[in-house]
Amino acid sequence: MDADLKSIAAARRCAETAFEAYRQFLGTDPSKIDAIVDAMANAIEPEVNRIVELAVAETGYGNAKDKRIKDMFNAVSVADYLRDVTTLGMLWKDDATKVAAFGEPMGLVAALIPVTNPTSTIIYKVLSAVKAGNAIVCAPHPRALRCGLEVTRLLAGVAEQMGAPKGLIQCLEHVTIQGTDELMRHRRTSVVMATGGPAMVKAAYSSGKPTLAVGAGNVPCYVNKSKANDLTEVAEQIIVSKSFDYGTACVSEQSLIVDKELARELRNELKLRGAYFCTPAESDRLAKVIFLGKQRMNPNRVGQSPNVLAELAEFSIPPKTRILVSEEEEIGWHRPLSAEKLNPVLAFYVANDEEHGIELSNQIARFEGWGHSSVVHSNDPEVIAKFSRIPTGRVLVNTPAILGGMGYSTDLEPSFMLGTGTWSGSITSDNVTALHLINIKRVAYESRPWRDIYDEYGE
């Protein structure tokens, strides 16, 4: 049997068995579900180092130190959030209007998993799906199959020990595009959660099933002159966020826009913390290394260290370099480094004033990044208010983009799936949580005499 047929057969088998497990899981007491979710979350830490090492070795993306933080964020922060959320049974009632809302599971979740965050995304989606009373089948990227199977096996084993039906949590053992497509379109699949590249997201929305999917993120970061006394902290935040897991997160800063009054000092602060500013020739060679052409990021260059990228682009950098910076003036595919870059490479723009800075940020967000996230560093509430008009689902203020966007350094919902809204073709601009994986049933009593409609609207 060829690979496609194996994958299609695996998708059908998983969908049928997961749906049967879901039917057995229906009606499980929410307190028991909470115990299952807690047990799965607690099982991650003893195994996390092994899991992330496997992910790095298999995918070749990122680094184990930061992937550990990603996995633990989902095992701790996401789990803590879910513990305090009601997803099943009565959600709320209003005695005055005589309306009550009840949460019910959607059914079988088809979860598409990105190669950039293979284990952390599975942890997040499994915990969220089960908290909402659903079954879940994960479809990892072929390049992350082994680590995807391993973390799913771990979570499923713990869930079954806690009383969950066998098959409630599964992962495709054979993965091709055709098999993943079969999983999404299968009659038992209720909803698709798609995290990945544009082609994957497009396929998910074409599946004919309700879909939660996210678009690309070309995150602008504007540093306003009101932060003149805080540039040390601003520089550290930007470098930590952009270098995190070698830039594999789409919510990290992609372009830095700084008021001209601060440009020289911020350059120096960035350099002191490990930023290497490329020459124009080096930037051009770097762009050819990262991109294969218009809208075609080279998958073999994603999540690579600054040293690897510089070596491929044939220039030398200091040994402790954390990010590469390209000074840019224009935005568009004629300047590829102004687009999303899933590696530790940052574009750098100088703005004439705040209006120019906000406009540049707007252009960057609209170029390959509508709806995702944007960042502003400012102590001026009026500047922040003006910046917030940028068409992104998250506007993060005075915080690292990755930590603010995923809900660690802000009070956004902890999530590893950040909706991009209708700006980029997504159904939601929220940080997606278990609350997006339930149907909400309203029970409504008569609150006014039904015959009054004839007196009110009749002739």
Side-chain angles (χ1 to χ4, degrees):
M1 188 182 297
D2 69 16
D4 288 338
L5 290 178
K6 282 184 178 179
S7 186
I8 291 169
R12 291 172 177 170
R13 182 172 60 253
C14 287
E16 290 290 352
T17 55
F19 182 76
E20 181 57 34
Y22 157 70
R23 288 179 24 170
Q24 296 174 36
F25 198 52
L26 268 176
T28 299
D29 188 275
S31 63
K32 182 176 180 179
I33 292 177
D34 285 345
I36 293 170
V37 171
D38 279 345
M40 289 193 293
N42 291 335
I44 294 299
E45 186 170 14
E47 300 287 343
V48 69
N49 290 338
R50 180 178 64 85
I51 290 169
V52 297
E53 291 286 358
L54 179 60
V56 172
E58 184 179 13
T59 66
Y61 291 173
N63 63 80
K65 176 185 174 184
D66 291 337
K67 286 193 184 300
R68 185 187 196 282
I69 292 174
K70 288 180 177 180
D71 284 12
M72 289 306 300
F73 168 79
N74 285 285
V76 178
S77 293
V78 169
D80 285 348
Y81 167 81
L82 293 176
R83 194 174 299 115
D84 296 330
V85 170
T86 300
T87 55
L88 302 172
M90 183 178 286
L91 305 180
W92 53 263
K93 67 175 181 176
D94 188 327
D95 292 330
T97 61
K98 298 183 180 180
V99 176
F102 294 81
E104 296 191 355
M106 287 186 168
L108 173 57
V109 178
L112 279 58
I113 309 299
V115 66
T116 47
N117 302 300
T119 55
S120 52
T121 305
I122 287 179
I123 296 167
Y124 150 71
K125 289 187 177 181
V126 168
L127 297 183
S128 299
V130 174
K131 169 70 178 186
N134 300 299
I136 182 169
V137 177
C138 298
H141 189 283
R143 189 167 173 168
L145 179 59
R146 286 177 54 224
C147 62
L149 283 168
E150 186 62 18
V151 72
T152 306
R153 180 199 62 77
L154 172 64
L155 295 170
V158 171
E160 289 167 23
Q161 289 174 9
M162 293 293 295
K166 183 176 177 60
L168 190 73
I169 301 163
Q170 298 187 52
C171 181
L172 296 184
E173 294 184 0
H174 305 282
V175 183
T176 66
I177 292 173
Q178 287 75 10
T180 300
D181 188 63
E182 177 67 20
L183 176 64
M184 291 190 292
R185 296 176 183 274
H186 197 277
R187 65 186 182 124
R188 298 301 193 190
T189 295
S190 303
V191 62
V192 177
M193 293 181 81
T195 311
M200 175 188 284
V201 170
K202 183 177 180 181
Y205 277 122
S206 301
S207 68
K209 295 299 176 81
T211 296
L212 294 161
V214 298
N218 193 21
V219 179
C221 174
Y222 170 50
V223 181
N224 176 246
K225 62 185 178 182
S226 62
K227 297 294 287 186
N229 295 326
D230 303 317
L231 290 184
T232 298
E233 174 67 5
V234 170
E236 183 64 14
Q237 288 186 19
I238 292 167
I239 287 190
V240 165
S241 185
K242 186 57 186 168
S243 65
F244 192 83
D245 201 26
Y246 295 154
T248 52
C250 56
V251 70
S252 65
E253 294 85 346
Q254 301 294 332
S255 293
L256 175 58
I257 304 96
V258 55
D259 283 344
K260 63 182 180 182
E261 294 91 338
L262 308 184
R264 181 175 179 180
E265 186 177 350
L266 185 55
R267 279 193 194 92
N268 290 336
E269 292 290 349
L270 290 169
K271 289 176 181 178
L272 287 172
R273 284 157 184 77
Y276 175 80
F277 280 71
C278 302
T279 68
E282 289 169 346
S283 292
D284 290 343
R285 294 202 299 274
L286 185 60
K288 292 178 181 178
V289 164
I290 294 173
F291 294 95
L292 295 172
K294 183 178 179 181
Q295 295 180 300
R296 291 184 63 204
M297 203 179 304
N298 187 333
N300 294 321
R301 307 296 180 249
V302 169
Q304 302 304 301
S305 70
N307 290 335
V308 168
L309 294 173
E311 183 177 349
L312 290 167
E314 300 181 338
F315 61 88
S316 299
I317 59 175
K320 293 186 179 181
T321 297
R322 297 164 73 186
I323 67 170
L324 304 176
V325 182
S326 174
E327 299 209 48
E328 301 284 340
E329 294 181 353
E330 298 178 277
I331 300 164
W333 279 112
H334 60 292
R335 297 302 304 169
L337 295 183
S338 64
E340 181 186 45
K341 306 163 287 296
L342 296 179
N343 42 48
V345 177
L346 184 70
F348 185 98
Y349 294 84
V350 177
N352 296 327
D353 49 36
E354 68 183 49
E355 286 78 13
H356 187 213
I358 293 172
E359 177 54 30
L360 285 172
S361 301
N362 213 326
Q363 290 178 32
I364 289 162
R366 290 171 181 270
F367 172 57
E368 295 293 301
W370 272 37
H372 203 292
S373 306
S374 55
V375 190
V376 57
H377 291 274
S378 176
N379 292 330
D380 187 334
E382 291 187 9
V383 170
I384 295 168
K386 292 176 183 176
F387 183 88
S388 297
R389 298 177 189 141
I390 288 175
T392 58
R394 278 150 296 279
V395 177
L396 308 168
V397 182
N398 297 331
T399 194
I402 185 170
L403 300 179
M406 71 188 196
Y408 181 81
S409 61
T410 66
D411 277 331
L412 295 177
E413 297 85 350
S415 177
F416 249 49
M417 188 171 179
L418 309 184
T420 53
T422 56
W423 293 291
S424 61
S426 177
I427 193 60
T428 182
S429 56
D430 295 342
N431 280 21
V432 177
T433 73
L435 292 172
H436 293 83
L437 298 175
I438 58 172
N439 290 310
I440 299 178
K441 176 189 294 183
R442 271 101 174 156
V443 177
Y445 286 76
E446 183 176 83
S447 60
R448 65 183 64 87
W450 65 268
R451 287 184 176 86
D452 286 0
I453 195 170
Y454 295 101
D455 295 333
E456 190 166 355
Y457 302 120
E459 293 182 2

